Amino acid sequence: MEPDPALAHQQILSSRALRKLILEESHRAHVGHIGSALSVVDLLAALYGGAMRLNAPDDPDRDRFVMGKGHAALALYAALFLRGWLSRAELASYCADDSRLGVHPTHHLPGVDFSTGSLGLGLSIGVGSALAARLLGKDRRTYVLLSDAECNEGSTWEAAMFAGHHRLTNLIVVVDVNGQQALGPTAEIMNQARMPEHWASCGWTVREVDGHAPAAVREALRPHRQEPLVVLARTVSGRGVSFMERQVRWHYLPMSDEDFAIALAESEALQ
C-alpha cells in the first residue's frame, strides 16, 4: 500500500522543525521579523502539513496560498523546504546577495504564486485568485494568511465585502491574531475587539481557534460550503522563546549569539 502523501507531510512538517529553521536562518542572516515568523509556525504546519491540497509546485490544480503578512516570509520558506520545494542550500541563502529568498516572498519561487508584503493587499490578491478559479471551473481553493494589523487597512475590508457578496466559498482566510504591531500592541493602536462581528457583517463564516493547537487549527480549516471562511487564530508573537513572547522589540531586532543559543534551547524544549 502506498503511503498517504498528506499523512507523510504531517509527520515531516512539524512545528518544532519549522521553529528551528526560522531561528537558525534568521541568526545566520542577522535579520529580524522573528516574532512574526514564530507566531505563524503552527498555522503553516497545519496548512502545509495536510490542510491544503498540494502536489508539485507546477501543478495548476493545486490550492493557492497567499502570504499576506509577507514580512514573515522566513516561516514560509521553511515550510516550502520541509515540503521539498526548496533545497537546504537555497534556504541557507536567505537574505544573502543574489538570493531569491528576500525578507518578503516573490513569485519567482516554486509554489509562490504572488509577491506580497505591502500590508492590506493580501486579501485582494486572494479574492482575485478564488474568483478566477470559479470562472475557470476549477475546484482549487485559495488560502490567505493575514496579520491582525492588516485588518487595520481599508483595502482588506473592501476585499472582504466583495468576497462575501459573491459567496466565494473557495476562499479561506487565516488571521494571525497575535496582538502585536511594529510599533506596539494592536489594542492600543487600533482596537480590534469586534473583529469577529466585522467579518460576519461582510458575509463570512467566522471560526475562532487557539492558533497553537494544531488539531484544532486543522479542524477549523474545514471549508464552508455557503460562504467564504475566516479563521481567527489567537497566537503569541515570538511563540516558544520566553524573552521574545509578546515583546514588540522582536518585530525588527536580529539575535545575538547568546540570544540564539537560549532561543534554540527553549524552542526545542517546547512540545
Side-chain angles (χ1 to χ4, degrees):
M1 180 178 176
E2 292 295 325
D4 183 329
L7 292 178
H9 283 298
Q10 284 180 19
Q11 295 170 358
I12 295 169
L13 211 156
S14 71
S15 297
R16 179 178 293 182
L18 283 170
R19 282 191 294 269
K20 184 172 187 289
L21 289 167
I22 290 167
L23 292 171
E24 288 177 343
E25 294 309 317
S26 60
H27 176 249
R28 180 200 52 74
H30 201 58
V31 172
H33 290 308
I34 307 166
S36 299
L38 291 176
S39 76
V40 300
V41 159
D42 294 309
L43 305 178
L44 289 176
L47 287 164
Y48 279 87
M52 291 194 294
R53 295 176 298 185
L54 301 171
N55 294 312
D58 58 355
D59 177 3
D61 294 324
R62 65 171 164 76
D63 287 343
R64 301 295 195 261
F65 177 74
V66 182
M67 188 72 167
K69 50 175 294 181
H71 55 283
L74 179 53
L76 173 61
Y77 300 151
L80 293 175
F81 163 68
L82 291 174
R83 191 76 201 188
W85 292 2
L86 285 181
S87 70
R88 188 66 182 87
E90 180 151 36
L91 182 63
S93 74
Y94 173 61
C95 286
D97 289 345
D98 299 323
S99 172
R100 296 193 298 176
L101 309 186
V103 173
H104 294 167
T106 71
H107 61 274
H108 302 296
L109 298 171
V112 178
D113 302 290
F114 311 101
S115 299
T116 56
S118 296
L119 297 183
L121 299 184
L123 184 54
S124 297
I125 295 170
V127 166
S129 173
L131 182 62
R134 174 189 286 181
L135 294 175
L136 291 169
K138 301 288 187 180
D139 67 352
R140 66 174 181 248
R141 302 185 185 108
T142 297
Y143 293 78
V144 183
L145 178 56
L146 302 178
S147 69
D148 48 0
E150 282 189 271
C151 296
N152 291 166
E153 304 278 357
S155 55
T156 295
W157 297 107
E158 292 177 34
M161 287 187 287
F162 182 94
H165 175 80
H166 291 280
R167 294 185 176 275
L168 295 179
T169 56
N170 58 350
L171 179 61
I172 299 174
V173 167
V174 181
V175 182
D176 174 33
V177 188
N178 65 23
Q180 294 286 341
Q181 301 193 16
L183 301 178
T186 301
E188 294 179 7
I189 295 173
M190 184 77 78
N191 195 337
Q192 300 178 358
R194 299 188 65 186
M195 189 186 291
E197 293 96 320
H198 292 162
W199 283 98
S201 71
C202 291
W204 289 61
T205 292
V206 181
R207 294 175 185 154
E208 298 185 67
V209 68
D210 177 350
H212 299 304
V217 172
R218 286 195 294 272
E219 177 66 16
L221 287 170
R222 288 180 297 102
H224 193 274
R225 296 184 181 279
Q226 298 178 328
E227 299 170 334
L229 169 66
V230 59
V231 176
L232 304 181
R234 307 291 175 180
T235 64
V236 175
S237 64
R239 164 72 169 173
V241 180
S242 60
F243 62 88
M244 291 185 182
E245 289 190 353
R246 299 185 177 88
Q247 299 300 310
V248 174
R249 64 195 298 258
W250 292 102
H251 185 86
Y252 285 121
L253 289 183
M255 289 178 283
S256 67
D257 291 344
E258 182 180 4
D259 293 333
F260 172 64
I262 297 171
L264 192 61
E266 290 189 0
S267 175
E268 290 186 339
L270 185 68
Q271 296 300 315

